[in-house]
Amino acid sequence: MIRWALIFLVVALIAAVLGFGGIAGAAASIAKILFYIFVISLLISVVMILINKSKR
């Protein structure tokens, strides 16, 4: 999933340099959404690992 976020980030940066506002905005918003999903997934994974370690 982080791969897709990075791909959309690169697309947004290239589109911003070329001046395509709509494409850059859409790609940037998709990259942001994927980034937040990745961060939430990471936090859930860390919490689950800590809970499993405490049960042992």
Side-chain angles (χ1 to χ4, degrees):
M1 192 174 306
I2 190 74
R3 184 165 153 220
W4 282 107
L6 291 174
I7 290 170
F8 279 110
L9 176 65
V10 170
V11 169
L13 290 174
I14 292 171
V17 168
L18 296 175
F20 302 123
I23 296 171
S29 64
I30 291 171
K32 272 196 243 180
I33 291 168
L34 290 175
F35 174 75
Y36 289 128
I37 290 171
F38 174 74
V39 169
I40 291 169
S41 299
L42 175 69
L43 292 175
I44 290 171
S45 297
V46 169
V47 168
M48 295 303 287
I49 289 171
L50 291 175
I51 289 172
N52 285 337
K53 282 188 177 181
S54 67
K55 286 183 179 180
R56 290 182 186 182

